[in-house]
Amino acid sequence: MSSPVPHDPEPPIPAALVSPVNVTAGAVEHSVDVVRPRLRARPSRRVALYAGVQINGAPHLGTDVMQTAAFLLARSARDRLGVRPALRFGALDNAPHDTRVCPRTGTTYTRSYHHALGPARIEELVKRFYGGLFDALTALTGVPYTVETYTRQQRTPAFREEFLASLGQWERLRWTLAPSSGQVPVSVPCPECGWLQKSGEHTELLDADGRRARFAALCLDHGRYETDVRPDGQGWLGLSTLHRNLVKERLADRDEALPVVVKGADWAAGCRLLDEAFLCFPDSRPPARVFTPVVLSASGAKLSKSLMREGGAALSPDTPPWMLDATRWPGTPEGYAALLHRLVSLMLSEPRHFERGYTTSEIARLIAGPG
C-alpha cells in the first residue's frame, strides 16, 4: 500500500500586524536600506549576503525565518539598490558531535561533525535540512545561493591569513572578544583521532608569525601533539564563536562584492564585541549587518535547540510540531517555502514589523489569518 502524497495547507491570509514604533522610524523605509550608506562609500555592482546554516539537528522556525529573510533581503537589494545579489551560506560542520570528559581533570573533549561524519555525510545533512527549502526560495525570489562548509572555508589561504593576522593583534584582541577574562580558546584537533579540548585548556601557542602558527595540545587518548597552522591549509582550526565570526567577516571584506552579514537579532549584543574587535586592526571596519526577527517561546526566550533539548522552551499549546522541527512539515518543501515567503514578506513590509521578535503563538495567528 503506497503512502499518501503530502499536501500543503491552504495559503495563509495576511492578518493584521501591530508593532510599536521603533528608533529607525522616519529614517529607514525598508530594512535593506541600511546597506545604502556602505554602497555610497564603496560603490559596487554586486552585494554578497552571508548567513549561517547549523547542521547539528533539524532547523526550527526561527532558523528558517532568518534564512528566508536573507533571500528576501537579497531580492530587495536588487530591486531597491540596483545591485546583483548572491547568498552565501556557511554550513557549520564544526559543532560538537560527540563529547567526552576526562575523569581525572574534568576537561571536556569534543569531536566535530566534520571529524565524526566526514564530508559526504555532511553534504547529505545540508541537503536534507536545507536543500529543498533553499531551492524553492531561489525559485520564488530569483536569488542564487551557495553553501560552503566551515571546514572547506577554514582551509583557504585567505582564511588562514586572517587568522594569523588576528594572532598578531592578540594581546589587545583577546580582551575585546572575551572582556571578562581575556581567555579566547583556539583548539586544534588531535591528528590521529580528531578529538580536541573544547575550551583549549592545555592548548599552547608555541610561536607565530604571518606565515605560520605552531600549537601544542593534549589528547585524552594520544597524549601531547603539535600542529602547524599555515596558509596552505595544513591543520584544522577550532575557533570560539566570536573569533570565528571576526575572521569570517574580515575575510568577506576581501571580496569584490560588498559584504552584508545577515544574523538573527539575538546576535546584536555579540556584534558589539565584534565591532570593538575590528578596532584592533588599522583601517578596518565591520561589514554592513542586517538583523532578522527572532522567534520566541511563551517565556520570551528565543527558540533554540538547547532550550528544546533541556525542556526549557516553555512553548504554548498552539505551537505545531513543524515550528520546532522543520522536517515535520506536513507538506512539500515548496509549500513550506511559500508559507515562509508570505510570512517574512509581511514582516518586511515595514521596518517596525521586521525589527522585533515574534512568539510562536503570534506566528500561528498570522498564519491562520483573520478570524
Side-chain angles (χ1 to χ4, degrees), residues 109 188-192 195 197 202-207 214-227:
Y109 289 78
V188 290
C190 173
E192 294 191 49
W195 288 82
Q197 288 187 344
H202 302 102
T203 301
E204 178 185 2
L205 176 61
L206 300 178
D207 60 78
R214 188 164 186 81
F215 292 90
L218 190 65
C219 176
L220 189 58
D221 297 315
H222 302 102
R224 188 179 186 275
Y225 58 92
E226 295 186 5
T227 297

Side-chain angles (χ1 to χ4, degrees), residues 176-177 242 265-276 289 291:
T176 63
L177 296 177
L242 290 175
D266 56 302
W267 254 95
C271 286
R272 291 184 307 197
L273 298 180
L274 286 181
D275 290 346
E276 289 290 328
R289 300 194 187 100
F291 297 108

Side-chain angles (χ1 to χ4, degrees), residues 77-315:
R78 180 192 66 203
D79 297 343
R80 292 180 65 87
L81 307 179
V83 294
R84 182 157 53 94
L87 274 174
R88 298 175 184 171
F89 290 101
L92 298 175
D93 59 347
N94 57 325
H97 183 274
D98 307 303
T99 301
R100 299 167 64 190
V101 177
C102 176
R104 183 173 58 85
T105 64
T107 302
T108 299
Y109 289 78
T110 63
R111 187 169 56 153
S112 73
Y113 268 71
H114 164 73
H115 290 95
L117 303 182
R121 290 187 63 191
I122 294 297
E123 186 175 344
E124 289 174 7
L125 282 180
V126 174
K127 183 176 181 180
R128 176 190 172 199
F129 292 150
Y130 301 106
L133 173 63
F134 286 4
D135 288 346
L137 287 171
T138 287
L140 288 168
T141 62
V143 176
Y145 76 91
T146 58
V147 178
E148 182 179 48
T149 64
Y150 169 76
T151 292
R152 191 179 307 127
Q153 184 183 51
Q154 63 87 43
R155 283 178 178 155
T156 62
F159 186 100
R160 297 303 181 88
E161 290 166 4
E162 291 296 347
F163 168 71
L164 293 172
S166 74
L167 296 182
Q169 304 289 336
W170 197 243
E171 192 52 38
R172 182 182 175 193
L173 186 63
R174 67 189 183 94
W175 287 103
T176 63
L177 296 177
S180 295
S181 66
Q183 301 299 314
V184 182
V186 175
S187 300
V188 290
C190 173
E192 294 191 49
C193 62
W195 288 82
L196 55 75
Q197 288 187 344
K198 180 181 179 181
S199 300
E201 296 95 326
H202 302 102
T203 301
E204 178 185 2
L205 176 61
L206 300 178
D207 60 78
D209 55 33
R211 300 179 302 277
R212 183 198 71 153
R214 188 164 186 81
F215 292 90
L218 190 65
C219 176
L220 189 58
D221 297 315
H222 302 102
R224 188 179 186 275
Y225 58 92
E226 295 186 5
T227 297
D228 279 345
V229 176
R230 302 195 306 235
D232 64 7
Q234 183 172 327
W236 191 91
L237 281 166
L239 304 182
S240 66
T241 300
L242 290 175
H243 192 189
R244 182 179 70 249
N245 277 265
L246 171 67
V247 172
K248 290 168 65 174
E249 289 188 359
R250 282 178 51 81
L251 175 64
D253 197 46
R254 294 185 175 207
D255 199 310
E256 177 189 350
L258 182 78
V260 179
V261 174
V262 181
K263 293 182 179 293
D266 56 302
W267 254 95
C271 286
R272 291 184 307 197
L273 298 180
L274 286 181
D275 290 346
E276 289 290 328
F278 268 87
L279 296 177
C280 296
F281 298 87
D283 302 320
S284 184
R285 64 184 299 182
R289 300 194 187 100
V290 182
F291 297 108
T292 64
V294 292
V295 178
L296 310 172
S297 65
S299 69
K302 84 176 189 77
L303 289 188
S304 72
K305 294 186 181 73
S306 59
L307 275 184
M308 289 187 282
R309 281 195 305 265
E310 297 163 4
L315 298 167

Side-chain angles (χ1 to χ4, degrees), residues 6-62:
H7 65 281
D8 294 312
E10 290 297 316
I13 300 173
L17 182 53
V18 179
S19 301
V21 174
N22 60 11
V23 295
T24 64
V28 178
E29 295 179 358
H30 190 286
S31 294
V32 82
D33 290 345
V34 299
V35 177
R36 196 184 301 273
R38 295 300 179 90
L39 275 174
R40 292 180 63 85
R42 177 183 158 180
S44 177
R45 296 180 179 178
R46 298 170 54 230
V47 167
L49 287 85
Y50 293 83
V53 172
Q54 286 283 359
I55 62 169
N56 60 341
H60 54 68
L61 180 62

